[in-house]
Amino acid sequence: MFTSLESRSSEPSRINRLGKGMTYLGITALLGLTAATAQVAPLDSTGLDSSGNAKSERAACNSGKTQQDRAACLKEVHNANAEKRAGTLRNGGDYTANAMRRCEVFKESDDLAACRARVEAQARLDGSVAGGGVLRQSETLVPAAAQ
């Protein structure tokens, strides 16, 4: 009879531990679910509208919808608005010509040709601007030297 009382007295603590474990498991699952469903801005979206309205762009910066920190975003909005007022704001541009000018640092013709091939979309692209950069990779076959 003494053993049955002993087992009964230890059972509530075991249930209590089980209840705490289940509580912790539930909290962990809830936090995991919350993190998994958190709204993240898509990589191709800046969060800014294309209207050029500085007020709405500042609001986007302040709300955290952009992929930049708040200070950098507000600085960009300020600079773009100043260029717009001065009439020097350029939207878009000839990116290919700009990239070709960057190939001019190569002095050897093989290196220059390889750089131009990467720019002219004859390369494999990997990465994204939002992820830190786009890597362009191309392969050039070089025949083995005759022995």
Side-chain angles (χ1 to χ4, degrees):
M1 194 159 192
F2 183 70
T3 57
S4 66
L5 283 176
E6 194 174 274
S7 65
R8 282 185 186 170
S9 66
S10 66
E11 190 153 332
S13 66
R14 188 172 64 112
I15 292 173
N16 193 15
R17 282 188 304 214
L18 182 64
K20 284 182 182 179
M22 292 302 288
T23 302
Y24 291 140
L25 178 65
I27 290 171
T28 304
L30 181 64
L31 289 174
L33 183 64
T34 303
T37 59
Q39 186 175 4
V40 178
L43 291 178
D44 61 342
S45 172
T46 61
L48 298 175
D49 60 13
S50 59
S51 68
N53 183 349
K55 187 181 236 182
S56 66
E57 289 176 352
R58 272 194 297 275
C61 292
N62 289 327
S63 69
K65 292 180 182 176
T66 65
Q67 295 179 0
Q68 296 176 299
D69 63 275
R70 183 178 174 273
C73 182
L74 290 172
K75 183 178 179 181
E76 288 291 326
V77 169
H78 174 76
N79 292 342
N81 198 28
E83 285 186 10
K84 183 179 176 184
R85 284 192 305 267
T88 59
L89 181 64
R90 292 175 296 174
N91 287 332
D94 192 1
Y95 298 118
T96 305
N98 187 15
M100 287 294 193
R101 280 194 299 275
R102 282 189 248 128
C103 288
E104 292 172 4
V105 299
F106 297 106
K107 301 302 176 198
E108 293 187 29
S109 62
D110 292 341
D111 294 336
L112 182 61
C115 180
R116 287 182 177 162
R118 287 189 298 270
V119 170
E120 293 172 342
Q122 298 173 8
R124 208 172 1 175
L125 299 178
D126 186 29
S128 67
V129 173
V134 177
L135 300 176
R136 297 175 184 267
Q137 178 182 359
S138 65
E139 294 179 13
T140 305
L141 299 177
V142 178
Q147 293 184 4

